[in-house]
Amino acid sequence: MRLAPSVLTAFALGASAALTTPATAQAPGARTPGPQASGAPPLTFPVACQPGRTCEIQHYVDRDPGPGVRDHRCGTMTYEGHNGVDIRLPDLAAQRRGVVVLAAAAGRVRAVRDGKPDISVKAAGAPSVAGEECGNGVAITHDGGWETQYCHMARGSIAVNAGQAVEAGAPLGRIGLSGQTEYPHLHFTVRRAGRVVDPFRPDEGQACGDGAAGLWTPEAAARMPYRAGAILNAGFAAAPVTMDQIEGGAIGVPDAGALVLVAYARAIALLPGDEVELDLKGPDGASLARSRRPPLASWRAQEMLYIGKRRPAAGWPRGTYTAEYRVWRKGVVVLSRRFQTTL
């Protein structure tokens, strides 16, 4: 039997980052990594997606005990007090198609919540999520005092009940937009005896990880290589685009009659000093538009860039138009994507 939402106030421990700044605090104690991983269940990847292709890790656990931030590799892929791992979908179109959340290990469902709306906390008229930041979610207990929690799931998608035994990989529901979030993702938290444990580096020390598997199975760890930043979206449009339009995932493809040809790209988790560049070329290989922004002054949860060219008087030359997006870091290209359209 599912617990009533009012019973699950203590269940709502996982909030999500604001997109503009890594400064929102989590629940009390979220910044303290948990005890040693003795007897921990091996964790499988908790989403039916492919990191680097159909999903990305946006944030890791914040291991810094003070006001700063530090992930398990001593990077900044986190924000103040973040107590879990955020596995993000590229846009709302992917979320609407349905992406399944999976039990990371065998256990028993302790609690569920469903019925909360799928709506960005920044949307006009969005209801308060105070005390229910996790939104729709599932908590599973495992042997040895371990627990995994799955937040921001889609309303009406929860597929398990409190008290139910589940195996690793069992479907729990789908990724949604419920609770304290602005984009579709799973917020995945691991705890032991009520304390947050970083699944990538479960010890209490503050030293950086060396790429070991942590609590993950070797197969799961191999699917999640550490990457400081990722390109989430790239494509073409017939008009300038906004971040909301990209997030919506419904930008129309331009045709030969388009008055403007726009190339756009969006990256996540960029670092101070990174430079983003976008170059649009015509069928003959000549550059039609190019932009390279000055170095970023601060960490960016996401950064969007677009460039465009008006249709020539004689119309668009027939052929393939190519755009290339690059992120430069200390003089080296660390992220790049080439994409094409035919007019």
Side-chain angles (χ1 to χ4, degrees):
M1 179 177 180
R2 296 180 182 175
L3 300 182
S6 59
V7 180
L8 290 169
T9 300
F11 173 66
L13 296 176
S16 297
L19 293 180
T20 53
T21 175
T24 302
Q26 287 287 350
R31 291 183 291 180
T32 304
Q36 297 292 331
S38 175
L43 302 177
T44 59
F45 191 66
V47 181
C49 64
Q50 295 178 298
R53 294 187 59 191
T54 58
C55 60
E56 297 286 354
I57 295 181
Q58 172 96 42
H59 301 112
Y60 297 97
V61 172
D62 177 20
R63 297 179 59 84
D64 192 297
V69 299
R70 178 171 63 231
D71 62 32
H72 66 285
R73 298 293 294 273
C74 281
T76 57
M77 291 276 288
T78 185
Y79 63 92
E80 172 66 24
H82 191 242
N83 69 358
V85 179
D86 288 344
I87 302 169
R88 177 175 181 168
L89 302 185
D91 50 40
L92 287 169
Q95 187 266 326
R96 288 190 292 267
R97 289 193 293 271
V99 179
V100 178
V101 175
L102 308 169
R108 189 169 298 276
V109 177
R110 177 178 68 79
V112 301
R113 180 192 291 123
D114 203 345
K116 300 301 172 182
D118 290 291
I119 184 171
S120 166
V121 293
K122 286 199 169 181
S128 171
V129 296
E132 297 178 338
E133 289 86 351
C134 179
N136 304 314
V138 176
I140 300 175
T141 58
H142 312 278
D143 292 342
W146 291 85
E147 181 172 289
T148 53
Q149 181 177 359
Y150 311 76
C151 292
H152 310 313
M153 295 170 67
R155 179 167 60 181
S157 76
I158 304 298
V160 293
N161 297 305
Q164 179 178 337
V166 294
E167 297 298 322
L172 303 179
R174 299 190 306 275
I175 286 181
L177 196 67
S178 61
Q180 182 73 30
T181 184
E182 301 171 30
Y183 50 84
H185 74 286
L186 173 71
H187 178 98
F188 175 74
T189 301
V190 180
R191 296 184 180 88
R192 188 185 188 192
R195 298 179 65 190
V196 172
V197 177
D198 181 352
F200 287 90
R201 188 165 175 80
D203 60 89
E204 290 186 324
Q206 295 302 314
C208 298
D210 58 3
L215 300 183
W216 302 103
T217 65
E219 189 276 336
R223 295 178 64 184
M224 297 181 286
Y226 181 87
R227 297 190 299 161
I231 299 170
L232 201 62
N233 313 92
F236 292 90
V241 296
T242 66
M243 197 79 81
D244 287 345
Q245 288 173 328
I246 295 174
E247 188 64 58
I251 297 176
V253 178
D255 57 26
L259 296 178
V260 179
L261 179 61
V262 170
Y264 65 89
R266 177 171 61 159
I268 59 174
L270 300 184
L271 305 181
D274 285 355
E275 298 177 68
V276 294
E277 176 187 37
L278 187 55
D279 190 9
L280 171 62
K281 295 181 179 180
D284 61 357
S287 182
L288 302 178
R290 181 178 179 274
S291 176
R292 181 165 175 170
R293 289 183 173 172
L296 297 175
S298 61
W299 182 92
R300 292 285 198 277
Q302 64 177 357
E303 183 78 2
M304 185 266 286
L305 176 62
Y306 71 81
I307 55 176
K309 175 72 174 179
R310 290 189 176 277
R311 185 180 65 194
W316 295 110
R318 298 289 182 170
T320 299
Y321 291 74
T322 303
E324 185 164 6
Y325 176 79
R326 306 180 187 92
V327 175
W328 294 81
R329 183 171 298 155
K330 298 180 179 179
V332 177
V333 175
V334 294
L335 300 171
S336 67
R337 182 177 297 183
R338 184 187 296 268
F339 47 105
Q340 299 176 330
T341 191
T342 301
L343 299 181

